[in-house]
Amino acid sequence: MMRHSLTTMLLLCTASLSAQSEITPQVLGQLRQQTNAAQRGLAGAIQNTPIKKMALKPNNPNALDTYFSHETLNEGITDQKSSGRCWMFTGFNVLRHKAAKRLGQPGITFSQCHLFFYDQLEKANLFLQSIIDTRKEAIDSRQVVWLMQHPLSDGGTYTGVADLVTKYGLVPTEVMAETYVSNNTDEFNGHLKRKLREIAINLREQAAAGKSVKQLEAYKTEQLKTVYSMLTLAYGEPVQSFMWAPRDKNGRHTSAPKEYTPLSFYAEACGTDDNLQTDYVMLMNDPSRPYNKVYEIDMDRHTYEGHNWLYLNLPMEDINEVAIASLKDSTQMYFSCDVGKQLNRDNGLLDVNNYDYSSLLGTTFGMNKKQRIQTLDSGSSHAMTLAGVDLDDKGQPKKWKVENSWGPTYGHKGFLIMTDEWFREYMFRVVVNKKYIPQRILSMMNQKPIPLPAWDPMFLADE
């Protein structure tokens, strides 16, 4: 019996050696046998041509269909330039639609620079206060490492729009115009993040030396003066009050100018009937987690005292129902997706049949939405404004229209068109006014949220 066991063990060892844990010359030889003449010929084309260009299917009929049975009015396409502020542009697009009606000024725009200044200041404070809060954790703990990796960014989500606008208000674009840095955020952000990390390590060293929380917070506040100064150099200093009057479509004033603060202008432009923080619900489609549950992602907020990203996870059928109800009432929505997947940049069509990478590269790409999320292959990468839907005779969506923030010449006159098949595969979240949500869905928000860590795959900001 003992001898039989020894023989079995030897056979297992031999088998494991034959399987090869490394690439040996023998394994390499087997791999080389896979290459044939056709592949060698195709390789020349692939090596010298953009893969996306070669994989594009010609004459996609969906690119010609630009009719929508329900679409909202557009107040003009905006351009975020080389920045990750799509979340703010999207939030502003929804607010602009409301403000144009209330103020009687078509095409009104709000200053991105004004709110972005405060966004970066608040994120700096959030980071430094979190460093104080985690002062007793090891510097190589996962939470501290995550903080050091993400001191701040120019990306964000709807919760940032809601908390920042409610706290700091809005101003028209002409009151605080864009700067080169606000349109090209990467270089300056690199310097700001380096400074924040320097302050953070000093805070941890002071904590280790026995400084109290009160002393650490006093040091943090003193260092925020430097952050404020840097932001002023890059974006200008936000105004405390300003004079403004609306104009008609011909550019003529329709009333005498009057003085506003950013908060009073926000109240007049957007009204107080909707509370951005409490009257809107974020709906998510994440098949990697159970549906009909509420989730909250830690540290996914823009201000220290603000709201973490809270969302209700729903199947696509429920999300479609709610989104269609909103669009039928001419109400736009904050929306985000994995925009880079199967996007034809020339005509702005998002369609799963745009490209045939499988035939070109000689393999299949068979992961479903759940698997793409679990492997970090797909996530929310860009926020836009959901502005239209085309319904069939049975009331089911055929395609969707989104207002983008990449300028008026991009895609279809500044818009992107998504087939419903693409929408189901790559749509992640939509923010909807509660009045369009059936009670059977809205009641689910009463659940205690399931907490998720800051490094959860769904943290990916709408950059």
Side-chain angles (χ1 to χ4, degrees):
M1 188 64 156
M2 190 69 155
R3 192 169 178 178
H4 177 72
S5 298
L6 182 60
T7 303
T8 302
M9 290 174 61
L10 289 172
L11 288 172
L12 289 172
C13 288
T14 304
S16 63
L17 289 172
S18 300
Q20 300 293 350
S21 57
E22 73 278 358
I23 296 180
T24 64
Q26 291 77 15
V27 171
L28 196 58
Q30 295 175 21
L31 300 179
R32 285 171 176 158
Q33 292 175 9
Q34 305 303 309
T35 305
N36 55 40
Q39 286 178 311
R40 287 192 290 270
L42 183 61
I46 290 177
Q47 291 166 15
N48 294 283
T49 309
I51 291 177
K52 194 167 190 176
K53 186 174 182 179
M54 293 188 66
L56 179 65
K57 293 181 179 180
N59 305 319
N60 187 336
N62 288 325
L64 304 175
D65 186 3
T66 59
Y67 169 80
F68 288 87
S69 59
H70 300 83
E71 55 185 322
T72 58
L73 292 176
N74 172 246
E75 298 301 332
I77 299 297
T78 54
D79 191 348
Q80 68 187 77
K81 302 293 180 66
S82 297
S83 74
R85 298 171 297 161
C86 63
W87 58 277
M88 186 180 290
F89 276 76
T90 298
F92 279 9
N93 284 342
V94 175
L95 294 175
R96 286 170 60 215
H97 187 67
K98 181 185 297 186
K101 294 180 181 179
R102 290 181 57 87
L103 298 175
Q105 178 168 327
I108 186 173
T109 58
F110 300 127
S111 170
Q112 311 287 339
C113 231
H114 162 80
L115 208 66
F116 189 60
F117 179 101
Y118 288 118
D119 171 68
Q120 298 294 277
L121 181 63
E122 287 282 1
K123 284 177 178 172
N125 179 67
L126 171 62
F127 167 68
L128 295 176
Q129 189 62 44
S130 298
I131 290 295
I132 295 173
D133 293 345
T134 58
R135 64 194 180 281
K136 295 182 180 180
E137 293 188 24
I139 196 168
D140 59 353
S141 71
R142 184 155 193 184
Q143 187 167 16
V144 175
V145 169
W146 185 91
L147 286 169
M148 293 297 188
Q149 288 175 329
H150 305 90
L152 90 173
S153 76
D154 57 0
T157 63
Y158 171 82
T159 53
V161 177
D163 286 343
L164 291 166
V165 169
T166 302
K167 186 172 183 177
Y168 294 107
L170 297 169
V171 304
T173 298
E174 56 267 32
V175 172
M176 188 172 177
E178 293 282 90
T179 69
Y180 174 83
V181 177
S182 68
N183 285 325
N184 302 271
T185 54
D186 190 59
E187 183 179 13
F188 176 77
N189 266 18
H191 295 297
L192 184 55
K193 285 190 283 189
R194 187 187 316 130
K195 185 61 185 177
L196 288 172
R197 290 175 177 128
E198 175 188 317
I199 300 170
I201 201 68
N202 288 338
L203 281 168
R204 287 186 60 87
E205 289 175 352
Q206 290 180 32
K211 292 290 182 67
S212 67
V213 171
K214 186 176 181 179
Q215 290 173 312
L216 295 175
E217 290 180 344
Y219 175 77
K220 178 204 72 172
T221 300
E222 187 65 26
Q223 294 303 308
L224 282 175
K225 294 178 182 179
T226 299
V227 174
Y228 189 96
S229 177
M230 291 176 69
L231 292 173
T232 300
L233 292 170
Y235 305 118
E237 188 168 17
V239 298
Q240 302 303 302
S241 63
F242 59 95
M243 301 295 293
W244 186 84
R247 299 174 183 270
D248 61 22
K249 63 180 180 180
N250 297 314
R252 293 189 294 264
H253 285 298
T254 57
S255 65
K258 68 177 184 179
E259 187 173 14
Y260 293 92
T261 66
L263 283 171
S264 69
F265 179 74
Y266 162 59
E268 182 166 319
C270 300
T272 57
D273 52 332
D274 286 339
N275 186 308
L276 295 180
Q277 295 170 314
T278 60
D279 289 340
Y280 291 81
V281 175
M282 185 178 291
L283 307 177
M284 169 71 75
N285 178 248
D286 176 5
S288 71
R289 289 196 170 90
Y291 287 135
N292 304 324
K293 300 291 183 182
V294 177
Y295 298 88
E296 180 177 359
I297 301 183
D298 186 31
M299 292 296 297
D300 191 5
R301 59 188 188 273
H302 291 238
T303 68
Y304 186 77
E305 76 283 6
H307 298 80
N308 280 326
W309 175 14
L310 190 78
Y311 68 87
L312 173 61
N313 195 28
L314 292 175
M316 284 302 304
E317 289 70 24
D318 288 337
I319 291 179
N320 282 0
E321 177 187 351
V322 172
I324 290 170
S326 182
L327 291 171
K328 281 185 173 181
D329 196 34
S330 299
T331 302
Q332 298 176 338
M333 287 157 284
Y334 183 108
F335 150 87
S336 65
C337 63
D338 193 354
V339 72
K341 299 295 193 297
Q342 291 283 333
L343 167 64
N344 185 330
R345 293 180 175 269
D346 293 329
N347 59 22
L349 178 66
L350 290 156
D351 186 357
V352 296
N353 297 310
N354 267 340
Y355 300 92
D356 184 4
Y357 293 109
S358 295
S359 297
L360 179 66
L361 299 176
T363 187
T364 58
F365 299 94
M367 286 193 293
N368 58 31
K369 188 173 186 178
K370 174 182 177 180
Q371 294 167 331
R372 290 194 300 270
I373 293 171
Q374 291 174 326
T375 60
L376 305 183
D377 184 71
S378 185
S380 180
S381 62
H382 185 52
M384 296 178 284
T385 310
L386 197 56
V389 64
D390 186 27
L391 303 178
D392 62 20
D393 294 338
K394 297 181 180 179
Q396 296 302 306
K398 295 189 293 183
K399 60 182 183 297
W400 303 80
K401 180 180 182 181
V402 286
E403 179 183 343
N404 203 359
S405 55
W406 292 345
T409 61
Y410 189 93
H412 179 62
K413 301 177 182 179
F415 291 86
L416 299 183
I417 296 175
M418 308 173 290
T419 62
D420 188 59
E421 188 177 2
W422 187 95
F423 189 76
R424 289 173 175 272
E425 289 295 324
Y426 297 107
M427 191 288 299
F428 282 96
R429 50 187 177 239
V430 63
V431 179
V432 187
N433 192 301
K434 288 181 178 179
K435 63 184 178 182
Y436 301 113
I437 303 177
Q439 187 58 42
R440 64 179 176 82
I441 295 177
L442 199 56
S443 61
M444 298 178 191
M445 293 300 298
N446 296 326
Q447 303 174 56
K448 183 179 179 180
I450 299 171
L452 299 175
W455 45 88
D456 186 85
M458 281 297 104
F459 176 84
L460 295 173
D462 298 332
E463 299 179 350

